[in-house]
Amino acid sequence: MPEPYDVITMGRIGVDLYPLDIGVPLARVETFGKFLGGSPTNVAVAAARLGRRTAVITRTGRDAFGDYLHQELQGFGVDDRWVTEVEAYPTPVTFCEIFPPDDFPLHFYRQPKAPDLEIHPAELDLDAVRDAWIFWMTGTGLSAEPSRAATLAALRARSEGAGRRGAFSEGAHSESVRSEDPARGARAATVFDLDWRPMFWDGGDHSSVAPARYREALAHATVAVGNIDECEIATGEREPHAAARALLAAGVELAVVKQGPKGVLAVHRDGSTADVPPLPVEVVNGLGAGDAFGGALCHGLLDGWDVARTMRYANAAGAIVASRIACSSAMPFPDEVERALAEGAVTDDIASGPSGAAS
């Protein structure tokens, strides 16, 4: 039986066209950089940069941009075997505007429908999903059919296989589990990235179905990750500690509430809590920082780190990407994260490091 993947992510993919002119409205931008994009895809890239064996389940159009995305995934070391083509729809394109330190409008072109929402349950390799140490899905995948049915099928497969893999627990080192059961390994986590994008849902901000779909998915997850707005959609709570308690009550074992400039709060069902401040950084583009955080979160879970160490490491990874223009190509390598932690900030030399798209 093949070795289980460290991380399998599922959901959005596309081409990011980011301005190389900072502080300029989109109508006046003259030069763009082209990058692999899509939150769960970026998480797979981020984890691969940290040495993990990753794959992504998604779909592209049958077009030149789809070919480009395959090339980029392969270049980043992310397995693209489950990235398939949809004849009917073009590969999505996303533009952004960059107004540091905290204004980064996104413009999604996913009409008439994005191919990554055309993932069908019958196409899934449920054995691979079940056996992966971490499975990462997002709220966007619940926004439309058949993606919703496929996402829930993958989550059910994880739940059904949990008994023979063992669940995520604080301090359980993945390598020790691997040596005890090398054929299967152990499930480190099923992660629900709350990823609230109202423009993808019928009804937008006032969607009447999103909260119920979030609750359905939370029942199968062991880790939930989201910012305050996303936690409110999932739980109705905006206060960070209340939101974390509500996520735990919904069924997860670890609730991670991202608070932007106030840092991140993580609460484990066993009672351990970490309230970690952000790492100082001169922000260039905040987009992609959350995906770097996600890949580093997976890395920490797989290594069995305690909650506080995992959050510090993930914060540092996110801060590094915030200091760079791009998302996927800006994901940090382990030595860059360790340097940022040692320095206590993202210094100029780290920001302009070899993985920085701005260099």
Side-chain angles (χ1 to χ4, degrees), residues 14 49 59 137 142-143 165 192 213 223 237 247 261 268 273 291 330 355:
R49 276 274 169 94
R59 306 194 74 183
M137 46 73 62
L142 302 172
S143 66
R165 285 190 312 269
F192 183 2
R213 292 182 178 177
V223 178
E237 300 284 355
L247 290 169
H268 194 275
T273 300
D291 304 332
S355 61

Side-chain angles (χ1 to χ4, degrees), residues 23 50 79 104 113 128 140 142 146 154 160 191-192 201 229 233 254 263 280 310 318 320 332-333 337-338 341:
L50 298 174
D79 196 325
F104 308 102
K113 186 179 184 181
T140 297
L142 302 172
E160 292 163 1
V191 184
F192 183 2
W201 290 78
D229 292 337
I233 289 297
L254 177 64
T310 301
I320 291 170
F333 294 95
V337 181
E338 295 295 346
L341 288 169

Side-chain angles (χ1 to χ4, degrees), residues 279-282 316 319-320 323-324 336 339-353:
L279 203 67
V281 58
E282 184 174 346
I320 291 170
S323 73
R324 300 168 174 174
E336 295 177 308
R339 284 169 55 208
L341 288 169
E343 295 284 347
V346 179
T347 57
D348 289 344
D349 63 317
I350 297 173
S352 61

Side-chain angles (χ1 to χ4, degrees), residues 157-203:
R158 296 286 292 178
S159 293
E160 292 163 1
R164 67 172 181 257
R165 285 190 312 269
F168 163 68
S169 61
E170 174 79 10
H173 197 288
S174 59
E175 288 296 330
S176 65
V177 179
R178 174 183 285 189
S179 65
E180 292 169 10
D181 190 2
R184 280 209 174 270
R187 183 192 69 176
T190 298
V191 184
F192 183 2
D193 177 1
L194 301 179
D195 184 43
W196 172 238
R197 306 282 182 171
M199 69 285 291
F200 300 156
W201 290 78
D202 291 338

Side-chain angles (χ1 to χ4, degrees), residues 53 62 108 152 182 198 207 209 215 241 247 309 319 322 332 337 346:
R53 181 170 178 253
R62 185 169 294 171
F108 293 97
L152 291 172
S207 173
V209 299
R215 288 192 296 271
H241 288 272
L247 290 169
R309 181 183 178 188
V337 181
V346 179

Side-chain angles (χ1 to χ4, degrees), residues 16-322:
D16 286 346
L17 293 175
Y18 283 4
L20 301 183
D21 305 310
I22 296 175
V24 178
L26 195 60
R28 291 170 42 204
V29 173
E30 296 185 355
T31 308
F32 294 86
K34 181 178 66 177
F35 308 101
L36 170 76
S39 180
T41 303
N42 282 338
V43 169
V45 172
R49 276 274 169 94
L50 298 174
R52 300 300 180 175
R53 181 170 178 253
T54 71
V56 61
I57 301 169
T58 190
R59 306 194 74 183
T60 72
R62 185 169 294 171
D63 51 31
F65 276 155
D67 295 340
Y68 164 75
L69 295 175
H70 277 280
Q71 293 169 11
E72 289 296 284
L73 287 168
Q74 292 164 13
F76 287 126
V78 177
D79 196 325
D80 64 345
R81 69 181 63 195
W82 297 305
V83 181
T84 58
E85 297 177 340
V86 177
E87 180 73 40
Y89 304 123
T91 299
V93 174
T94 302
F95 290 87
C96 84
E97 295 173 281
I98 300 179
F99 298 103
D102 58 5
D103 187 18
F104 308 102
L106 280 169
H107 306 271
F108 293 97
Y109 291 80
R110 291 169 58 87
Q111 299 298 330
K113 186 179 184 181
D116 54 60
L117 293 175
E118 280 292 301
I119 303 172
H120 292 259
E123 299 167 344
L124 297 176
D125 185 341
L126 290 179
D127 286 336
V129 169
R130 185 181 297 114
D131 293 343
W133 290 4
I134 291 181
F135 175 67
W136 181 287
M137 46 73 62
T138 76
T140 297
L142 302 172
S143 66
E145 295 290 4
S147 172
R148 174 175 175 263
T151 301
L152 291 172
L155 288 172
R156 284 192 291 269
R158 296 286 292 178
S159 293
E160 292 163 1
R164 67 172 181 257
R165 285 190 312 269
F168 163 68
S169 61
E170 174 79 10
H173 197 288
S174 59
E175 288 296 330
S176 65
V177 179
R178 174 183 285 189
S179 65
E180 292 169 10
D181 190 2
R184 280 209 174 270
R187 183 192 69 176
T190 298
V191 184
F192 183 2
D193 177 1
L194 301 179
D195 184 43
W196 172 238
R197 306 282 182 171
M199 69 285 291
F200 300 156
W201 290 78
D202 291 338
D205 282 309
H206 305 289
S207 173
S208 60
V209 299
R213 292 182 178 177
Y214 272 59
R215 288 192 296 271
E216 186 176 3
L218 280 169
H220 297 282
T222 61
V223 178
V225 184
N227 62 31
I228 296 297
D229 292 337
E230 293 165 340
C231 289
E232 184 178 22
I233 289 297
T235 69
E237 300 284 355
R238 286 191 63 84
E239 195 282 322
H241 288 272
R245 289 193 296 268
L247 290 169
L248 295 178
V252 305
E253 299 170 17
L254 177 64
V256 180
V257 182
K258 295 186 286 188
Q259 304 173 75
K262 294 183 179 180
V264 60
L265 169 69
V267 181
H268 194 275
R269 184 177 292 173
D270 67 7
S272 57
T273 300
D275 200 342
V276 179
L279 203 67
V281 58
E282 184 174 346
V283 174
V284 173
N285 184 1
L287 302 173
D291 304 332
F293 182 101
L297 170 64
C298 293
H299 185 64
L301 293 177
L302 288 166
D303 262 3
W305 296 345
D306 62 44
V307 169
R309 181 183 178 188
T310 301
M311 293 305 111
R312 288 193 297 269
Y313 194 93
N315 261 357
I320 291 170
V321 172

